[in-house]
Amino acid sequence: MTDHAPAAAASDNLAAAFQIEGWPVRGRLVRLGETIDAILSAHDYPEPVAALLGEACTLAALIGSALKFEGRLIVQAQGDGPVRYVVADYDTRGHLRGYCRFDEAAVAAVSQGFARPGARTLLGEGLFVMTLDRGADFERTQGITPIEGESLSLAAEHYFQQSEQIPTKVRLAVGAVTTEAGTTWRAGGALIQLIAGDAARGSTEEAWDRSRALFQTLADDELIDPTITPEVLLFRLFHEDGVRLEDARALEAVCRCSKDRIGAVLASFAVEERAEMVEDDGMIRVTCEYCATVYELEPEEIVAG
């Protein structure tokens, strides 16, 4: 079957809004190629852990790219399962980073079946948290809900329903894709939300039911397929009604770590504690838990503020 969608250049590593003509529904789409590959390949994560982190990063970009102010959105989930903590950090310049803390043996133990273990299996009982950081002049705002359902998609839907009373559907997909260039990680996500009815618009429930039904036909392989452009993907879903992509912005893997930041953190330790960090060659080495960059500092470089 051929898609009769408007021709569009291949596009990747982006977040964009989309609008279905005449529908009281707003949506967002994220496609990640080398950006998510850089984040997931920085550590030797087991496949289920890498997939969970990829979902968290995609979700952070989906939600964070809608922010109307400069700042950061931090999506995290923590629990008592094999993965203790997963965090994704998006800032409004389109910079994305993330990492997981996990028990390798425990992850292996729950990964014996045919299906990839989901968020609830990996995280166990715990909390889903979204934090807005608008900078030093503002207090952080935070929303917290229990982890509900087996996926981060369901956790996010529950968050929006409980914290903001906004009906929301989320799809997230992460997988390794092999092309002529080799095998790399890819991720994709989509989100739709109902715009509440009013006197002018009337009831929106019928339109919401229809949009949800169409949205559910979106397949994981479509979200991560590098040969399917965002325009074609949306056309497949909503071509009967007309859909347009707008406000696309680039996403890239950027960590905020630096030698100066690491030095400032080390300076907060007591001299005796820093002395215990010195290795046999006289250097202190610190590895960024996000991007795995190793920083080497001489003790004399570290000056208390």
Side-chain angles (χ1 to χ4, degrees):
M1 181 176 177
T2 302
D3 291 302
H4 301 289
S11 47
D12 221 343
N13 300 300
L14 61 80
F18 63 86
Q19 182 67 48
I20 309 166
E21 298 292 346
W23 285 27
V25 175
R26 60 184 172 225
R28 300 199 70 80
L29 179 70
V30 164
R31 302 293 298 277
L32 293 168
E34 57 263 27
T35 294
I36 199 64
D37 188 61
I39 293 171
L40 301 186
S41 299
H43 299 271
D44 187 20
Y45 290 121
E47 195 270 349
V49 176
L52 180 67
L53 178 55
E55 289 184 359
C57 290
T58 305
L59 184 60
L62 270 176
I63 300 169
S65 59
L67 297 178
K68 304 302 182 185
F69 55 82
E70 291 186 7
R72 298 162 54 208
L73 173 73
I74 303 161
V75 171
Q76 64 191 75
Q78 56 200 58
D80 59 4
V83 174
R84 300 296 182 182
Y85 191 77
V86 58
V87 60
D89 184 328
Y90 169 91
D91 76 28
T92 47
R93 293 170 294 176
H95 297 169
L96 195 61
R97 65 176 186 164
Y99 78 96
C100 272
R101 290 180 185 166
F102 63 97
D103 182 312
E104 188 168 359
V107 169
V110 299
S111 304
Q112 299 301 313
F114 293 106
R116 176 197 289 167
R120 184 60 181 270
T121 298
L122 292 171
L123 290 161
E125 295 289 336
L127 300 173
F128 177 82
V129 185
M130 288 208 296
T131 305
L132 290 175
D133 182 352
R134 302 182 66 176
D137 295 334
F138 300 88
E139 287 190 13
R140 285 187 171 191
T141 58
Q142 195 170 72
I144 303 173
T145 58
I147 296 173
E148 295 285 346
E150 183 58 17
S151 68
L152 282 187
S153 298
L154 292 172
E157 291 173 7
H158 178 73
Y159 171 89
F160 278 108
Q161 187 62 52
Q162 295 297 312
S163 298
E164 302 186 27
Q165 290 77 53
I166 301 175
T168 303
K169 297 300 292 183
V170 179
R171 295 296 303 273
L172 303 170
V174 181
V177 173
T178 301
T179 65
E180 292 180 356
T183 300
T184 57
W185 285 102
R186 289 187 58 82
L191 171 153
I192 56 172
Q193 293 182 317
L194 175 66
I195 300 172
D198 55 28
R201 189 179 289 119
S203 174
T204 58
E205 287 303 315
E206 183 177 348
W208 179 238
D209 289 343
R210 185 180 178 195
S211 60
R212 282 188 303 169
L214 292 172
F215 192 72
Q216 286 302 114
T217 67
L218 182 59
D220 287 358
D221 58 351
E222 290 180 297
L223 279 168
I224 65 175
D225 189 333
T227 69
I228 301 175
T229 66
E231 292 86 354
V232 168
L233 185 65
L234 292 175
F235 181 81
R236 287 181 175 183
L237 287 176
F238 304 113
H239 64 277
E240 292 184 3
D241 299 275
V243 60
R244 67 179 187 273
L245 201 68
E246 52 194 29
D247 192 28
R249 59 190 64 189
L251 301 173
E252 58 180 325
V254 176
C255 191
R256 294 196 306 279
C257 67
S258 68
K259 190 171 183 179
D260 288 344
R261 284 177 180 263
I262 296 298
V265 171
L266 291 174
S268 67
F269 288 86
V271 174
E272 296 79 8
E273 292 177 299
R274 293 205 299 270
E276 294 177 0
M277 301 176 192
V278 177
E279 299 182 15
D280 292 342
D281 62 356
M283 302 294 289
I284 296 177
R285 291 180 176 83
V286 178
T287 302
C288 175
E289 58 190 355
Y290 281 93
C291 68
T293 299
V294 178
Y295 291 93
E296 296 184 349
L297 294 94
E298 297 180 1
E300 295 75 17
E301 294 181 77
I302 303 168
V303 180

